[in-house]
Amino acid sequence: MTSLSFPIHRRPDPTPLDRIAAVHASPGFGTHFTDHMAVADWTTEGGWSGDEVRAYGPFSLDPASAVLHYAQEIFEGLKAFRREDGSIWSFRPQANGERLGRSAVRLALPPLPVDAFMASIRSLVEVDQAWVPSADGEEKSLYLRPFMIANEAFLGVRPARKVLYCVIASPVGSYFASGVKPVSIWVSTDFNRAGPGGTGAAKCGGNYAASLAAQTQAAASGCDQAVFLDTVERKWVEELGGMNVFFVMRDGQIVTPELTGTILEGVTRSALLQVAADRGYTPVERRVSIDEWRDGIASGEITEVFACGTAAVITPIGRLAWDGGEAIINSNETGPVAAELRAALLDVQFGRADDPHGWMTRLV
Ligand SMILES: *Cc1c(COP(=O)(O)O)cnc(C)c1O
């Protein structure tokens, strides 16, 4: 396998620094994009080629491109953090590269070697380093979005013989504009996200498309997001549309649903299991039923519930609602354990704390 280096071809007209500063002052989430993107092509005959970093801009896509019809697509999400000394780091990027490879296998796309994945994000962050915001006393960072699409122009149903890999980047602020605030969650019983043998463990756009109707129903019921149950017994808690879920128990256990093949294995999830153990909690991976969640809040056995993922790190869950009832968790406030774990992980990510597990990789 040839190794890809993603050579940089700088655009002649980069965004002036004062305009970047204006974006950094109020970045939002996923609305502004940097000056460049990393791309590579793959064909069955030639393998990977055409790797480069070039000016950000639209693709020319044949209307028959397979991705537009059969959703043969996968993606990743990770962040680049600027430290006070100006250096730029990423949190466990190899884990994202490995997960992209597993998602590729499931979606019958060509796995990109992890060293090529690393080269793609290094080159992009190198050329667009001015776009990586300072933490700013907040949680600002550069969100990286690698993705892969089938772009063979062919309407037959089989794995595409032509594929495009791309990485784009977007400066992001704190997910919570005015401080961490608990969200409300709707228990989705009309819609499922993933079934056994399906694509639930892969990070693919199709899973997100399938979650949107539940999301709409959650919003119509006054909730921020939906939580999905398993499709077989329809009682085991799986995850939100794009975040894993954790329960804090009165006795110091930190419980998250075990990986069953229908849950996406979050990088944040696995890091939090370790951070919890480091801080004296007992991390547990096991099945949790929706009845245990409801009854545990009522009995006080469950003291906090939170969701986690790269974008928001930890999002407390303050209210659980379902067809016919609701339960308030921890007085609808951010709990001490969620706050503690969130701060601990952010401190590692921004280089404010030791990194005993070697999670940080310097990019620039
Ligand atoms: C990306 C994602 C997560 C969170 O994964 P992280 O690696 O922690 O960002 C959780 N669930 C789903 C369905 C996801 O797509």
Side-chain angles (χ1 to χ4, degrees), residues 232-310:
V232 178
E233 295 175 76
R234 311 195 75 163
K235 63 183 269 199
W236 304 107
V237 177
E238 300 226 299
E239 60 174 320
L240 312 191
M243 282 191 273
N244 296 117
V245 59
F246 275 82
F247 301 88
V248 180
M249 303 301 191
R250 183 164 50 190
D251 66 0
Q253 288 189 36
I254 309 266
V255 179
T256 192
E258 67 189 17
L259 301 174
T260 54
T262 53
I263 295 175
L264 194 284
E265 183 175 4
V267 176
T268 317
R269 174 189 179 278
S270 80
L272 284 174
L273 287 168
Q274 183 63 57
V275 169
D278 293 348
R279 305 183 76 84
Y281 298 102
T282 309
V284 179
E285 296 175 80
R286 65 164 170 85
R287 298 204 293 183
V288 176
S289 71
I290 192 68
D291 290 340
E292 179 181 1
W293 185 346
R294 223 169 22 215
D295 299 346
I297 299 168
S299 70
E301 195 57 40
I302 295 174
T303 56
E304 299 175 38
V305 186
F306 59 82
C308 71
T310 295

Side-chain angles (χ1 to χ4, degrees), residues 10-361:
R10 279 172 198 274
R11 66 189 301 160
D13 56 344
T15 305
L17 292 178
D18 60 328
R19 289 236 337 261
I20 297 177
V23 170
H24 284 171
S26 178
F29 198 96
T31 48
H32 300 279
F33 298 94
T34 65
D35 284 327
H36 298 84
M37 59 186 185
V39 293
D41 302 304
W42 179 90
T43 62
T44 36
E45 313 81 50
W48 290 104
S49 68
D51 52 307
E52 64 167 340
V53 168
R54 60 165 143 96
Y56 182 96
F59 299 125
S60 170
L61 216 55
D62 192 294
S65 291
V67 65
L68 301 176
H69 304 273
Y70 308 128
Q72 199 188 355
E73 185 266 1
I74 55 173
F75 67 96
E76 270 302 323
L78 69 167
K79 286 174 170 172
F81 305 92
R82 184 183 293 280
R83 293 192 177 172
E84 295 212 325
D85 66 2
S87 61
I88 299 169
W89 300 68
S90 182
F91 180 73
R92 302 183 67 193
Q94 295 86 357
N96 294 91
E98 285 160 10
R99 188 170 66 189
L100 185 75
R102 294 195 297 276
S103 298
V105 170
R106 180 63 186 85
L107 274 286
L109 285 161
L112 181 75
V114 173
D115 62 350
F117 175 86
M118 290 300 302
S120 70
I121 64 169
R122 272 185 201 284
S123 278
L124 181 59
V125 172
E126 157 86 38
V127 69
D128 280 339
Q129 56 184 278
W131 286 91
V132 183
S134 302
D136 237 359
E138 300 179 50
E139 301 164 11
K140 292 177 183 173
S141 61
L142 186 69
Y143 184 80
L144 303 170
R145 168 51 62 86
F147 62 99
M148 198 187 286
I149 61 172
N151 69 342
E152 180 183 358
F154 176 59
L155 294 183
V157 180
R158 58 153 169 73
R161 294 175 183 160
K162 212 176 141 224
V163 166
L164 173 76
Y165 169 71
C166 180
V167 189
I168 56 174
S170 170
V172 295
S174 171
Y175 209 72
F176 302 95
S178 46
V180 178
K181 243 182 48 217
V183 295
S184 54
I185 298 293
W186 175 254
V187 182
S188 178
T189 45
D190 289 346
F191 303 107
N192 295 316
R193 192 190 83 93
T199 56
K203 206 167 179 72
C204 63
N207 290 342
Y208 280 66
S211 76
L212 296 178
Q215 178 63 34
T216 302
Q217 200 177 53
S221 312
C223 290
D224 299 305
Q225 297 218 25
V227 64
F228 293 95
L229 306 179
D230 80 288
T231 57
V232 178
E233 295 175 76
R234 311 195 75 163
K235 63 183 269 199
W236 304 107
V237 177
E238 300 226 299
E239 60 174 320
L240 312 191
M243 282 191 273
N244 296 117
V245 59
F246 275 82
F247 301 88
V248 180
M249 303 301 191
R250 183 164 50 190
D251 66 0
Q253 288 189 36
I254 309 266
V255 179
T256 192
E258 67 189 17
L259 301 174
T260 54
T262 53
I263 295 175
L264 194 284
E265 183 175 4
V267 176
T268 317
R269 174 189 179 278
S270 80
L272 284 174
L273 287 168
Q274 183 63 57
V275 169
D278 293 348
R279 305 183 76 84
Y281 298 102
T282 309
V284 179
E285 296 175 80
R286 65 164 170 85
R287 298 204 293 183
V288 176
S289 71
I290 192 68
D291 290 340
E292 179 181 1
W293 185 346
R294 223 169 22 215
D295 299 346
I297 299 168
S299 70
E301 195 57 40
I302 295 174
T303 56
E304 299 175 38
V305 186
F306 59 82
C308 71
T310 295
V313 190
I314 281 181
T315 306
I317 297 175
R319 189 168 78 97
L320 181 71
W322 58 90
D323 203 4
E326 65 162 11
I328 302 296
I329 308 156
N330 191 46
S331 314
N332 200 17
E333 277 165 25
T334 301
V337 178
E340 175 190 348
L341 297 178
R342 190 169 199 280
L345 197 52
L346 280 166
D347 282 347
V348 174
Q349 293 181 331
F350 282 100
R352 299 183 295 241
D354 287 346
D355 174 21
H357 305 290
W359 283 338
M360 302 308 295
T361 296

